[in-house]
Amino acid sequence: MRGTMTGQETFDVAVIGGGIAGVSAAAELAQDLRVVLLEAETQPGYHATGRSAAILAQTYGPPVIRRLTQAASKVFEAPPEGFPDGPLVSPRGLVRFASAENIDAVRAEFEATAADASLTWLEPAALEARVPLLRKGYAAGGFVNDAAQDIDVHALLTGYLRQFRARGGEVRTGAPVRGLVRKGTGWELRTGAGTIQAGILVNAAGAWADAVAGMAGVARQGLDPRRRSAITFEAPRGCDTAALPMLVGGDEDFYLKPEAGRLMASPADATSSAPCDARPEEIDIAVCVDRITRAFDLDVRRILSSWAGLRTFAPDGSPVCGFDPEQGNFFWLAGQGGYGVQTAPALAALAAALIRGGTPEGDLADRSLLRDLAPGRFDATVTG
């Protein structure tokens, strides 16, 4: 499929969405296929990818996410050839602490996930010694994951883009998809940068993935974009942010972590939203400040920046990765929730194997994992 058909450019695969999911999958596919990557914005990674807290935490998320994170760890530990020099991850650590109201739930989570990573349980005095910012008497206990790491999202995205282009892939920015029409065994895509044809369409459109499906006449998967907000502010005088772990509240209703010498915090909001260029709401910022000042000895006098992004969830909370059960050349790669960056290498490798008709390897070969990710595993609603 390397020529033209009816005067239009023709590709083996068209990937819709230039976030980390689409870029990483496109790079994997471009090893032996002609691939075009379509991004509506002027640059890849503009939406959720560029607004991620970017932590690699082995115990973060449901079992399917933890399995994908384990499979992805090989890329983070040893970046592929062509990636920027330097590591993709750096030590951070993560502390999950509980108040008296949620200590039982946090203790149960520790016991359920301790085998997946090297976790250590800490009683209140030890927690306060480990995290001097904690208000005295707030924490009733918690656990530490010393293996958690910061992810360099820019380096990860840049590395996959370099790979993609080096393998002959074409990136089209400012190219929103405005129409999808079945043409024989493939697709005609009408975009803001012209019309192209492709044999297989990969739907990695994030918050817009169900809209893309509707445009193609494919059953939606019930994806739910949810807004997540964050702020940054100056750290207290004398606070060593470089040594501070990521700090997560017992109900996962707020978190605090270092960010370029400052502190970043989030109320861990998850408000359903229409697909959009998300912006933070004043109430969410106020809730964020209230929650972190209750838990930490902080005086947030001035917010330096605030932003929001959309994290898109499938009905059961696990990603959707696989060919549509009704449209065999429409591939879903969506619904990564808040885990898109840390699972991207695994989902990209899995998507590429399935699209080529091969068998996933290593940690991705388990058929139960494929069933847990398959489109159509829950009730889908057909749209026109």
Side-chain angles (χ1 to χ4, degrees):
M1 294 189 185
R2 294 185 179 274
T4 61
M5 185 180 299
T6 64
Q8 296 172 358
E9 288 185 283
T10 302
F11 296 86
D12 298 316
V13 181
V15 178
I16 300 176
I20 189 59
V23 170
S24 57
E28 292 284 352
L29 289 164
Q31 293 183 68
D32 55 0
L33 297 170
R34 189 173 187 225
V35 184
V36 62
L37 177 69
L38 302 171
E39 168 55 46
E41 305 296 345
T42 57
Q43 64 186 43
Y46 176 80
H47 288 285
T49 297
R51 309 175 196 190
S52 169
I55 192 79
L56 178 64
Q58 296 78 3
T59 61
Y60 183 40
V64 170
I65 294 298
R66 296 200 297 270
R67 292 172 69 185
L68 291 170
T69 300
Q70 178 62 37
S73 63
K74 297 172 185 176
V75 171
F76 292 116
E77 293 167 1
E81 185 177 352
F83 272 53
D85 293 336
L88 292 176
V89 290
S90 56
R92 173 57 57 199
L94 183 148
V95 173
R96 178 80 180 279
F97 59 92
S99 64
E101 289 76 16
N102 48 46
I103 183 65
D104 290 341
V106 173
R107 182 79 197 202
E109 181 178 336
F110 166 76
E111 292 173 353
T113 60
D116 294 340
S118 180
L119 305 183
T120 304
W121 183 263
L122 297 179
E123 297 299 335
L127 266 178
E128 291 173 359
R130 176 70 182 263
V131 186
L133 286 180
L134 275 171
R135 287 197 181 277
K136 301 298 182 184
Y138 180 91
F143 61 84
V144 178
N145 177 3
D146 284 317
Q149 299 169 292
D150 282 337
I151 301 172
D152 187 334
V153 179
H154 177 73
L156 184 68
L157 185 69
T158 299
Y160 276 121
L161 282 169
R162 283 184 182 178
Q163 265 195 350
F164 180 57
R165 290 184 170 117
R167 292 168 175 173
E170 296 187 29
V171 179
R172 307 281 173 87
T173 56
V177 176
R178 295 172 177 162
L180 292 170
V181 180
R182 289 296 302 270
K183 290 287 186 179
T185 59
W187 297 92
E188 181 178 87
L189 296 88
R190 299 166 186 164
T191 82
T195 300
I196 62 173
Q197 292 192 358
I200 293 173
L201 190 156
V202 176
N203 182 7
W208 288 264
D210 262 350
V212 168
M215 198 182 303
V218 173
R220 297 173 185 258
Q221 297 296 302
L223 300 174
D224 182 17
R226 301 176 192 171
R227 187 178 66 245
R228 169 63 56 91
S229 308
I231 62 173
T232 62
F233 55 95
E234 294 290 355
R237 183 172 298 178
C239 176
D240 182 6
T241 57
L244 194 67
M246 183 171 185
L247 304 165
V248 183
D251 288 329
E252 291 192 15
D253 56 348
F254 63 92
Y255 65 76
L256 182 77
K257 73 184 293 281
E259 179 74 14
R262 297 170 173 172
L263 294 177
M264 179 179 77
S266 171
D269 46 327
T271 306
S272 292
S273 169
C276 65
D277 186 358
R279 295 289 185 268
E281 300 285 342
E282 288 186 9
I283 183 63
D284 293 325
I285 294 174
V287 167
C288 181
V289 172
D290 178 68
R291 289 177 180 173
I292 62 173
T293 53
R294 285 174 184 267
F296 302 107
D297 188 12
L298 292 170
D299 182 10
V300 183
R301 297 187 178 183
R302 186 165 70 94
I303 294 171
L304 300 175
S305 64
S306 63
W307 67 93
L310 297 182
R311 304 150 77 245
T312 302
F313 292 83
D316 62 0
S318 294
V320 184
C321 180
F323 280 106
D324 187 86
E326 302 297 328
Q327 296 283 357
N329 56 1
F330 186 99
F331 193 94
W332 288 89
L333 184 57
Q336 292 89 344
Y339 318 104
V341 174
Q342 73 179 56
T343 61
L347 285 172
L350 179 60
L354 295 175
I355 289 170
R356 292 191 180 97
T359 301
E361 299 178 352
D363 296 332
L364 302 174
D366 189 341
R367 291 186 178 182
S368 67
L369 178 63
L370 300 183
R371 289 195 299 270
D372 290 340
L373 297 172
R377 64 184 184 269
F378 29 70
D379 291 336
T381 57
V382 178
T383 106

